[in-house]
């Protein structure tokens, strides 16, 4: 199976996302921001970084990139899409996921190993986890505070669309300790922490993140 | 606006020029006139003045730095692919990989504007690495500040840390180490040193050459603006620009754009990979003055530059300003004519502005024109390499003897050693650096094997073979103040030991020499001694200095900073999977061993500094043969799977090492020591490492130490059941309490 | 050519940690009497004369601000 | 209570990567005719009536703006 990994100018974690896809025994297909082309992939990862510098607002410019128009179209037809960190911000800006990510409450960039609770193990990206399992993956972002209006929050909570929640002290001021959410159909997932940096204990705190990529392979094979 | 052309200069030989304001001495100005056979034009004056400045010409340090090359033997040089004189040193690490690494200072700009100063410091050193043809892979940031609780430190430190992080994070370079040191001498002059390491295939090494008449010179990256021009604005305002009204004195601050640099990196790497550049040069200090004169003099001919083609971001810039602008995120490439289209296409793909601004010519002159009028016509070597050389007076300071005689022997010893441990781990210089390092991305690129709080940073270079490198930077300025020769060797010894403790074999050295005013004979003595100490030390260890940087005039008023020769050591590890971690608790049963010898050495120690505000006596003894042996044992221990953790002893001694290894490993330990407990715990004798050895390997490891005559002592056991550090005859220190003390200090000061 | 200013502010109900940090710091610096601070963005655009108000509104709404969390004001000023 | 607005902008000769990013993006999004964009900060302060203009100027200069690289404007507005 083929998983597309988008590179915008300023994307940083594309190398890591590609590696994670390979560790899950899938083929990583590089996608370029300026192309109107998804190269026939089965799923797309929008990786972390600072697309176009993120000078205006994280993800605000990337959302308009040609490749994103294709992603929006494919996602609306049910293609699994994962947005990690800047990718999550881009998916929110593109209205594929509700809400927005704002400046960390302490105003500093935060890089740390973060415990997360898996709240929803029914999405295309989380079936390999047990519900309520706790996993340890890196969080590294300056604008990771999840914000949405009360109505949206209620809806997310009510429909079980919060996928990951921060365990322990809230690292960035996210409402309801939200670390990641999913679309109504469970195919699109966005999260601030970085599962692609936790695929082997040598270079990450754990290999807890690999489950997301293995889950994807399962769900695409099943579909 | 009238432009000062060569023709004009010839016809107005007696015109007054503001060379003094530009920092040139009378005899230097006279020499420029002699070289040119006429007075320089404004643009030429701008070029010479900036290229002959201390920062660019090394005029005060050159005669001393030569000692590094003079003492480097052929054997030391055998793995070196490029050394002093290139943008950065390059070392062959095997498997076809070459590593390039270098440190640079950005001290003064960071005091004026902490965020941007630090950010552009990172940006500059990354371009140096890129200019070697390498992919930049990681950065480090040795920092020095005034007292932690000084109001100005509250202004400077958070800004500098945010700047290092803001730029490095956005470039996608993991930060794998650095230093944070507080001392009153840095109050008006913080030190921001930045190190970058990169890798390339050996055959891809690019040196900055401009050979081949007809080759095109292409400037690519950001537009050129008025930032960072500083002193040169006097040229515009006071001499030549009197028609257009005076331009107000420009801030010499540059603002960084890490996104542009990230794109510049990817664009350059694609250009290298496609083989379409002959030579490449980064634009750093001295901007185009530096890049054009260095490229031309490294080539075999002359060069013509059409300066008016340079894309500008401000209106009305004079040629002198364009030449001296230090606008960031620019590179200069030399390209064969048939490759220019391909070059431009890669730049278009990355949305990078690229402009053909010049051509390599037959002659031996650098000719720069501005709208078809010649504004510069010089022999490029005279600008880039034939600057003045000073033999500054050197004098051992008169009070050096008194300083050394004022030993810490009479300082009162602590009544309660257990309390002292808690006090010391919470002191600003020993407290956890988490507040700082949590602002740096250490995971990006997925190759970071060790980063803070490890002794050394380590990255994987090759995902197939698992080959990697480790790096550490160190310097204790108090030791160097007490004895600059020994202090520099102690810095080298510590960086070497840190690298070895991670399991890597040290192979090469870089440095960043931060000192006070070279016009002070005492400072020059410190500098000379430190260079000699470092160079002699490298000979003893058998590893070469591959490059470095000198920063003078680091002082507040007439008070110089502690002499701070920051030393960076690079190590190679054939398989990063065998790296040795810093924290205990990885194995079920572990014994704690202390390698090396402990003497009562407190001169320049953290205890004397923090508890008594005392600095005097002599620094710890240094024994580089012993360091070498220790390094070999540590690497052998890692290679044969005999070590489960290793942590080097430095500031704060054994007490600090014990606390850190427990806290990092989140595991308790029981420790038994004999002799005077204060000395055992707080002495800063060099050449010591605390190791954890799986019980099954204890015999084999200690036999090896004994056979190789490395002193070792069993000092305790790891106790996974316990959540405290217990020291026999003293008592227990709960880890939670230690963690609160260790991690609480910086947040309390800077949040 | 016209000069256009766009001010973008966090919505009142959205947490504004930056404004908060400024508000908290002021008394420490000895400035009293500032009861609330909010921080947003200020854009200055040089705009060709044929760019109409509707276009400017669209730029602000779809691009310069994120309506989920931000309010904005567009105004033309004398250059 | 008075409302005070402080606008802080990068000095003209200083690089403004943020404004640059916006300016570069606009044509790609189909918005033409915007020739220059600069981006700065916009502060809104609620201020007690006894805070005078000199104090406000001081706050802007020493704290809200960095005079090395930024210009600023303080103005009182009707709340
Ligand atoms: N302290 C030092 N020790 C050894 N080499 C040094 C030292 N300082 C500078 N050098 C070498 O001198 C050359 C010029 O240095 P520098 O001016 O920093 O380079 P750049 O022009 O790239 O800024 C480099 O090769 C550098 O490695
Ligand atoms: Mg250089």
């Amino acid at each position: 199976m083929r998983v597309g990994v988008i590179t915008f100018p300023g994307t940083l974690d594309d190398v890591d996302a590609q590696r994670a896809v390979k560790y899950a025994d899938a083929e990583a297909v590089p996608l370029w921001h300026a192309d109107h082309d998804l190269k026939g992939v089965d799923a797309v990862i929008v990786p972390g970084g600072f697309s176009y510098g993120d000078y205006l607002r994280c993800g605000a410019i990337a959302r308009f990139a040609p490749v994103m128009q294709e992603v929006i179209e494919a996602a609306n037809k049910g293609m699994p899409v994962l947005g990690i960190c800047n990718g999550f911000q881009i998916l929110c800006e593109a209205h594929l996921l509700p809400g927005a990510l704002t400046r960390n409450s302490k105003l500093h960039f935060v890089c740390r190993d973060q415990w997360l609770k898996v709240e929803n193990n029914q999405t295309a990206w989380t079936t390999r986890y047990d519900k309520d399992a706790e996993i340890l993956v890196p969080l590294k972002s300056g604008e990771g505070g999840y914000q949405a209006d009360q109505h949206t929050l209620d809806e997310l909570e009510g429909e079980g669309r919060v996928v990951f929640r921060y365990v322990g002290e809230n690292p960035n001021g996210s409402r309801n300790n939200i670390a990641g959410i999913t679309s109504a159909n469970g195919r699109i997932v966005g999260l601030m922490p970085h599962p692609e940096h936790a695929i082997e204990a040598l270079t990450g705190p754990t290999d807890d993140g690999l489950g997301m990529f293995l889950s994807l392979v399962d769900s695409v094979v099943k579909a | 606006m009238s432009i000062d052309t060569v023709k004009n200069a010839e016809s107005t030989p007696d015109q007054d020029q503001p060379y003094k304001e530009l920092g040139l001495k009378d005899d230097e100005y006279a020499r420029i006139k002699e070289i040119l056979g006429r007075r320089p034009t404004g643009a030429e004056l701008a070029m010479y003045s900036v290229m002959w400045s201390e920062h660019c010409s090394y005029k005060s340090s050159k005669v001393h730095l030569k000692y590094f090359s003079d003492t480097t033997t052929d054997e030391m040089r055998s793995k070196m692919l490029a050394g002093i004189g290139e943008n950065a040193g390059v070392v062959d690490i095997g498997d076809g990989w070459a590593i390039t690494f270098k440190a640079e200072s950005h001290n003064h700009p960071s005091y004026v504007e902490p965020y941007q100063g630090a950010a552009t410091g990172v940006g500059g050193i990354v371009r140096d690495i890129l200019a070697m043809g390498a992919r930049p892979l990681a950065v480090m940031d040795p920092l020095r500040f005034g007292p932690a609780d000084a109001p100005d430190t509250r202004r400077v430190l958070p800004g500098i840390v945010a700047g290092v992080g803001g730029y490095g994070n956005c470039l996608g370079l993991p930060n794998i180490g650095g230093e944070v040191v507080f001392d009153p001498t840095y109050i008006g002059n913080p030190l921001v040193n930045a190190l970058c390491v990169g890798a390339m295939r050996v055959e891809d090494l690019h040196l900055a050459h401009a050979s081949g008449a007809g080759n095109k010179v292409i400037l690519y990256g950001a537009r050129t603006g008025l930032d960072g021009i500083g002193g040169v604005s006097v040229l515009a305002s006071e001499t030549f620009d009197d028609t257009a009204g005076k331009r107000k004195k420009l801030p010499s601050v540059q603002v960084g754009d890490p996104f542009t640099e990230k794109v510049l990196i990817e664009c350059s790497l694609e250009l290298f990979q496609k083989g379409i550049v002959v030579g490449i040069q980064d634009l750093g200090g001295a901007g185009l003055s530096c890049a054009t004169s260095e490229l031309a003099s490294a080539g075999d001919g002359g060069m013509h530059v059409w300066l008016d083609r340079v894309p500008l971001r401000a209106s009305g810039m004079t040629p002198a300003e364009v030449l001296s602008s230090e606008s960031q995120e620019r590179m200069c490439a030399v390209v064969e004519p048939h490759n220019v289209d391909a070059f431009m296409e890669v730049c278009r793909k990355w949305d990078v502005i690229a402009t053909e601004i010049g051509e390599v010519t037959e002659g031996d002159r650098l000719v720069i024109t501005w709208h078809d009028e010649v504004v510069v016509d010089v022999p490029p070597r005279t600008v880039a390499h034939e600057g003045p050389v000073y033999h500054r007076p050197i004098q051992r300071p008169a009070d050096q003897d008194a300083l050394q005689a004022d030993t810490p022997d009479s300082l009162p010893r602590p009544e309660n050693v257990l309390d002292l441990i808690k006090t010391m781990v919470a002191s600003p210089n020993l407290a956890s650096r988490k507040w700082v390092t949590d602002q740096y991305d250490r995971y990006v690129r997925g190759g970071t094997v060790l980063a803070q709080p490890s002794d050394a940073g380590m990255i994987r270079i090759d995902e197939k073979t698992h080959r990697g490198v480790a790096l550490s930077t160190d310097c204790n300025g108090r030791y160097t103040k007490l004895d600059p020769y020994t202090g520099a060797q102690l810095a080298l010894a510590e960086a070497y030991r840190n690298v070895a403790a991670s399991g890597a074999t040290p192979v090469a050295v870089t440095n960043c020499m931060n000192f006070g005013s070279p016009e002070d004979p005492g400072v020059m003595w410190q500098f000379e001694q430190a260079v000699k100490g470092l160079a002699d030390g490298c000979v003893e260890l058998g590893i070469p200095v591959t490059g470095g940087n000198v920063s003078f005039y680091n002082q507040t008023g007439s008070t110089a900073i502690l002499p701070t020769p920051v030393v960076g050591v690079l190590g190679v590890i054939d398989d990063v999977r065998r790296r040795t971690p810093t924290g205990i608790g990885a194995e079920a049963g572990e014994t704690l061993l202390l390698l090396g010898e402990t003497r009562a050495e407190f001169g320049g120690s953290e205890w004397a500094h923090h508890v008594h505000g005392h600095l005097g006596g002599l620094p710890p003894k240094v024994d580089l043969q012993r360091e070498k042996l220790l390094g070999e044992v540590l690497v052998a221990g890692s290679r044969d799977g005999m070590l489960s953790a290793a942590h080097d002893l430095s500031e704060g001694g054994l007490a600090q090492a014990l606390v850190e290894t427990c806290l990092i490993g989140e595991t308790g330990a029981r420790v038994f020591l004999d002799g005077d407990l204060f000395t055992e715990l707080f002495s800063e004798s060099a050449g010591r490492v605390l190791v954890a050895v799986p019980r099954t390997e204890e015999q084999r490891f200690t036999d090896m130490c004994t056979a190789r005559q490395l002193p070792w002592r069993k000092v305790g056991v790891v106790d996974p059941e316990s959540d405290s550090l217990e020291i026999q005859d003293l008592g227990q220190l709960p880890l939670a309490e230690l963690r609160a003390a260790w991690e609480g200090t910086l947040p309390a000061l800077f949040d | 050519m016209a000069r256009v200013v766009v001010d973008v502010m966090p919505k009142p109900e959205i947490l504004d940690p930056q404004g908060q940090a400024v508000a908290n710091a002021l008394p420490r610096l000895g400035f009293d009497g500032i009861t609330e601070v909010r921080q947003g963005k200020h854009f200055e655009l040089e705009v060709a004369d044929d760019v109409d108000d509707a276009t400017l509104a669209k730029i602000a709404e779809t691009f310069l601000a994120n309506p989920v969390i931000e309010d904005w004001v567009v105004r033309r000023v004398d250059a």
Side-chain angles (χ1 to χ4, degrees), chain B residues 424-603:
Chain B
M424 291 301 290
V425 297
S427 68
N429 279 333
L430 298 182
S432 165
R433 269 66 192 113
K434 209 162 143 32
W435 188 90
V436 172
T437 57
D438 275 4
Q439 298 186 45
Y440 303 153
D441 184 349
R442 60 182 175 277
Y443 284 112
V444 63
R445 301 199 65 77
T448 307
V449 175
L450 295 174
Q452 47 284 51
S454 294
D455 283 337
M458 184 183 289
I459 50 173
R460 177 172 60 190
I461 298 297
D462 190 318
E463 293 199 31
K464 293 210 179 66
T465 65
H466 302 282
R467 184 168 293 264
V469 296
L471 279 145
S472 174
T473 72
D474 290 285
C475 178
N476 183 325
R478 292 193 305 266
Y479 295 168
T480 322
K481 169 88 179 175
L482 297 180
D483 179 348
Y485 185 92
T486 305
Q489 294 201 332
L490 284 164
L492 171 66
E494 186 179 345
Y496 186 96
R497 200 185 315 133
N498 282 330
V499 163
S502 75
T505 304
V507 293
V509 176
T510 190
N511 66 54
C512 198
M513 310 290 256
N514 308 274
F515 286 76
S517 167
E519 293 160 43
D520 175 341
V523 168
M524 272 323 277
W525 173 79
Q526 292 173 333
F527 180 75
E528 182 219 23
Q529 289 290 305
V531 167
K532 284 230 162 79
L534 178 56
D536 292 348
C538 285
V539 172
E540 217 173 327
L541 292 171
I543 55 176
V545 173
T546 62
N549 177 247
V550 179
S551 171
F552 279 131
Y553 298 102
N554 294 290
Q555 45 190 55
T556 308
S558 62
T559 311
I561 58 162
L562 293 177
T564 314
V566 171
V567 179
V569 169
L570 172 81
V572 180
I573 182 163
D574 52 8
D575 186 344
V576 292
R577 291 172 300 181
R578 67 167 174 82
R579 86 268 180 221
T580 309
T582 307
I584 52 175
E587 300 275 334
E590 294 168 278
T591 300
L592 290 173
L593 304 175
L594 178 60
L595 310 181
E597 283 167 292
T598 306
R599 293 171 290 267
E601 292 179 295
F602 293 100

Side-chain angles (χ1 to χ4, degrees), chain B residues 150-415:
Chain B
D152 202 47
T153 304
R154 272 193 79 106
R155 170 186 77 94
V156 166
L157 183 143
I160 286 174
V161 169
V164 170
Y167 206 99
N169 295 345
C170 190
L171 282 191
L173 293 176
N175 186 306
I176 60 165
E179 299 166 74
V180 178
V181 178
F182 301 98
D183 186 273
T185 60
Y186 303 111
I187 183 72
N189 200 117
L191 302 185
V192 175
N193 294 177
L195 180 148
C196 182
V197 58
M200 68 195 118
R201 300 301 293 172
V202 170
E203 63 272 18
D204 293 338
L205 177 59
H206 280 78
L207 300 177
H209 290 320
S211 333
N215 285 346
K216 304 298 182 191
V217 180
I218 300 181
L219 176 67
Y220 66 112
R223 289 173 180 275
T224 299
L226 286 166
D227 45 355
I229 289 184
V232 170
S233 54
V234 304
L235 272 172
S237 58
E238 288 171 25
T239 320
F240 305 108
D241 197 11
D242 39 22
T243 47
K246 294 194 177 187
R247 179 168 274 156
K248 63 181 182 251
K249 190 149 171 28
L250 296 164
S252 59
V253 174
Q254 308 119 41
V255 169
D257 177 356
F259 168 67
T260 295
E261 178 126 322
K262 166 68 179 167
V263 173
L264 196 59
I265 292 173
E266 298 304 329
C267 177
S268 299
L269 290 170
E270 187 170 334
L271 291 167
F272 298 157
Q273 187 243 325
K274 295 203 153 101
I276 40 189
V277 291
V278 178
I280 188 116
Q281 173 76 43
D282 59 299
L283 273 73
L288 276 167
S289 295
C290 179
T292 54
S293 63
E294 284 196 354
L295 270 177
S297 47
D300 48 13
M303 189 181 284
H304 185 156
V305 173
W306 289 269
L307 198 62
D308 47 287
R309 295 185 188 172
V310 172
L312 301 180
R313 154 165 85 63
S315 53
M317 285 180 74
T318 66
E321 286 170 337
V322 177
L323 280 169
S324 349
S325 162
E326 293 187 355
S327 288
Q328 302 288 295
E329 293 97 20
R330 298 177 298 163
M331 302 280 284
C332 220
V334 177
V335 181
E336 291 178 29
H338 65 95
N339 279 327
V340 169
D341 288 346
F343 187 102
M344 294 301 180
E345 197 179 311
V346 172
C347 290
R348 261 194 306 278
K349 170 181 166 191
W350 289 100
D351 239 324
V352 167
I353 302 171
T355 315
E356 195 183 304
I357 60 159
E359 190 175 298
V360 178
T361 56
E362 290 289 352
D364 54 2
R365 308 283 289 188
L366 170 61
V367 176
I368 299 180
T369 52
W370 181 257
H371 298 290
D372 296 330
E373 296 201 84
V374 178
V375 291
V376 171
D377 183 352
V378 298
R381 281 199 65 81
T382 64
V383 180
H385 300 297
E386 287 161 18
V389 176
Y390 291 166
H391 294 261
R392 301 266 194 200
I394 292 175
Q395 177 80 58
R396 188 172 187 269
D399 56 4
Q400 194 73 21
D401 285 336
L403 182 70
Q404 294 186 343
D406 176 22
T407 72
D409 296 348
S410 57
L411 298 176
R413 297 318 198 231
E415 300 194 342

Side-chain angles (χ1 to χ4, degrees), chain B residues 58 65 68 84-87 102 104 128 511 513 547-550:
Chain B
Y58 289 85
L65 295 180
F68 285 125
I84 294 177
E86 299 295 343
N87 278 319
K102 189 182 175 199
E104 211 155 59
D128 263 320
N511 66 54
M513 310 290 256
N549 177 247
V550 179

